[in-house]
Amino acid sequence: MKTVSQTKAHGGIQGVYSHPSAVTNCEMTFAVFVPPLAEGAKAPVLWYLSGLTCTHQNVMDKGEYRRLAAELGLIIVCPDTSPRGDDVADEPDNWQFGKGAGFYVDATEAPYSQHYRMYSYILDELSGLIATEFPAADMNRQGIFGHSMGGHGALVMALRNPDRFKSCSAFAPIVQPSTADWSKGAFEKYLGAESSAWRDYDATRLIENGHRFAEFLVDQGDADGFLENGLRPWLLEEACNAANIPLKLRMQPGYDHSYFFISTFMDDHLRWHRARL
Amino acid sequence: MKTVSQTKAHGGIQGVYSHPSAVTNCEMTFAVFVPPLAEGAKAPVLWYLSGLTCTHQNVMDKGEYRRLAAELGLIIVCPDTSPRGDDVADEPDNWQFGKGAGFYVDATEAPYSQHYRMYSYILDELSGLIATEFPAADMNRQGIFGHSMGGHGALVMALRNPDRFKSCSAFAPIVQPSTADWSKGAFEKYLGAESSAWRDYDATRLIENGHRFAEFLVDQGDADGFLENGLRPWLLEEACNAANIPLKLRMQPGYDHSYFFISTFMDDHLRWHRARL
């Protein structure tokens, strides 16, 4: 692991790191905020998964998580959203596919299967690296949240790994990516035309298939332009209701899909996770 | 005035606006955050002046001011740092001069005097626009702060207009730009070789010349790479001590010159201003 930068902020250290990934077969960059801690103390690890077009940096710049994460003693890990590099297959003119749009799946279709394996990358390789390189990280207390495509990723990771993640929340998540306008094209290219494989990366389908999680917090702006076709939180609500999974879905009047929305409700999400970790 | 964008954030509205400026002879862009207010209520206006290379956007993205400004009821106005446009004289390879580096002076030397008049632009024209276009703005309660070059701008504006501004603070300000490595070249080009004119835009020289202000708050990171040659807060301390101006200068251990530093101490500065407005 290489240290790209380490900067003091809110009493802690906001770091950016990179490492060669054996899972995505390329150099990966990620950000970690470590709050101020007593010598030898451990802190819970909260994963933040970002949305389409983002890198590790967007939430680091605009998410406004450091003040309260420092106060609550939370380590915040922010991975990139896709493999990177000149030899990674991409559609440069398509912001909903390829680089910046890994959708947190393990692609099975060539040529994408060579690099686009963000699910295993985060769950196995990056988790292992965090455990090794950040001695303060208490890997027995992990939570996960994210925005939009990253909200989808957080819900899926939590539903498939309820023993690993003790808390999950999302800002404007794509709750049913296998049928949403802006994601089903990517699912087909990454996972093949046989859509039954897509269910493993779709929160509502996972719940239908019997996956369970303790409870979810979801914030959604009602002025979000992607609400009707891309996000559709009511589908998650239906699935959670049918499965008796407690879902705290908050429609936030006047808020859009941007980091202005995310940063507004960041404090609530950090407190939600801290109370459960 | 044209509305570029208006986005709900922390219960208020973060807007970006543009207008043709008669002072800088070009289209100018600026950002205004209006906190949630009762119908017809007024709020103090706090000006934030940005540093070298910045636009209105850097602090809007990374300054983390909205949460507390909403709570305290402060309107935050963030101007650009220079005139803009293809016909504005510039040195594109010099980040310490020209576009992004207006130094909040009224240039007297051709060709810069045609556009580089950020002092009058902010003090007269933009202030007038805020008063007209934002009915909630209480122009009888104005404060000013800024970062680096913008800290210099805030100190100078406050010292020269103590009746206008009721509070002033700065993050890592350039306290004596007329002698600092990264600013004296710009002063010469904007204001001519006759350096006595430079004193009007130099906080320490203004104090020597008899200008006074109620009190200042200055935060400075001790890991700031510009500390020794560019910032030198001890020169402000000497000037304030000699003039009996109360200065709260806080050296912050381990902090650098970035927005990670600014955002860490943003809350303290907002509370400082709110208490005085």
Side-chain angles (χ1 to χ4, degrees), chain B residues 30-261:
Chain B
F30 61 98
V32 178
F33 176 70
V34 178
L37 293 168
E39 184 73 28
K42 293 265 191 183
V45 175
L46 180 56
W47 295 81
Y48 178 90
L49 305 187
S50 293
L52 286 165
T53 76
C54 289
T55 68
H56 66 283
Q57 195 176 341
N58 303 67
V59 69
M60 189 176 87
D61 285 349
K62 300 192 274 192
E64 303 189 10
Y65 58 78
R66 278 177 293 271
R67 178 189 51 80
L68 192 59
E71 186 185 317
L72 299 177
L74 290 167
I75 293 174
I76 311 287
V77 181
C78 306
D80 203 347
T81 56
S82 76
R84 302 284 175 180
D86 290 344
D87 64 334
V88 171
D90 190 23
E91 294 181 6
D93 296 332
N94 183 357
W95 63 280
Q96 300 171 350
F97 181 75
K99 292 184 201 171
F103 277 98
Y104 305 101
V105 304
D106 284 352
T108 52
E109 300 298 296
Y112 308 110
S113 51
Q114 201 192 338
H115 298 287
Y116 287 86
R117 302 186 64 226
M118 291 300 291
Y119 182 82
S120 293
Y121 166 69
I122 289 170
L123 206 65
D124 301 331
E125 191 178 32
L126 186 54
S127 291
L129 198 68
I130 298 295
T132 309
E133 298 279 353
F134 296 85
D138 183 352
M139 304 309 278
N140 294 317
R141 289 185 290 160
Q142 293 185 61
I144 192 162
F145 68 150
H147 171 235
S148 196
M149 176 182 76
H152 138 71
L155 293 169
V156 165
M157 296 240 180
L159 282 162
R160 289 176 61 175
N161 306 278
D163 296 333
R164 169 82 71 98
F165 299 107
K166 306 221 176 327
S167 56
C168 178
S169 73
F171 303 100
I174 305 175
V175 305
Q176 195 174 91
S178 66
T179 63
D181 285 351
W182 57 357
S183 44
K184 61 187 181 192
F187 270 43
E188 181 162 356
K189 285 176 218 171
Y190 289 138
L191 302 171
E194 178 49 69
S195 71
S196 71
W198 304 4
R199 299 178 69 90
D200 289 342
Y201 298 105
D202 182 311
T204 61
R205 303 307 190 201
L206 285 166
I207 294 171
E208 286 172 15
N209 285 4
H211 288 264
R212 295 292 178 266
F213 197 76
E215 51 184 334
F216 297 118
L217 167 66
V218 170
D219 275 311
Q220 172 65 58
D222 75 0
D224 184 326
F226 301 109
L227 180 56
E228 294 293 329
N229 294 317
L231 304 168
R232 305 172 298 173
W234 48 86
L235 297 177
L236 182 64
E237 196 165 41
E238 286 164 19
C240 284
N241 283 346
N244 284 316
I245 299 174
L247 166 67
K248 190 171 181 176
L249 170 61
R250 309 191 304 184
M251 296 302 295
Q252 301 290 2
Y255 285 91
D256 71 1
H257 199 64
S258 71
Y259 271 93
F260 294 114
F261 157 66

Side-chain angles (χ1 to χ4, degrees), chain A residues 238-260:
Chain A
E238 287 164 19
C240 284
N241 283 345
N244 284 316
I245 299 174
L247 165 67
K248 190 171 182 177
L249 170 61
R250 308 192 304 185
M251 295 303 293
Q252 302 290 1
Y255 286 91
D256 71 1
H257 198 64
S258 71
Y259 270 93
F260 294 114

Side-chain angles (χ1 to χ4, degrees), chain A residues 157-180:
Chain A
M157 295 241 181
L159 283 162
R160 290 176 59 173
N161 305 277
D163 296 332
R164 168 85 69 101
F165 299 106
K166 307 222 175 326
S167 58
C168 178
S169 74
F171 304 100
I174 306 175
V175 306
Q176 195 175 89
S178 65
T179 64

Side-chain angles (χ1 to χ4, degrees), chain A residues 1 15-17 19 29-32 56 78-79 121 126 129-130 134:
Chain A
M1 188 181 85
V16 177
Y17 309 92
H19 70 115
T29 303
F30 62 97
V32 178
H56 67 283
C78 307
Y121 165 68
L126 185 54
L129 197 67
I130 298 296
F134 296 85

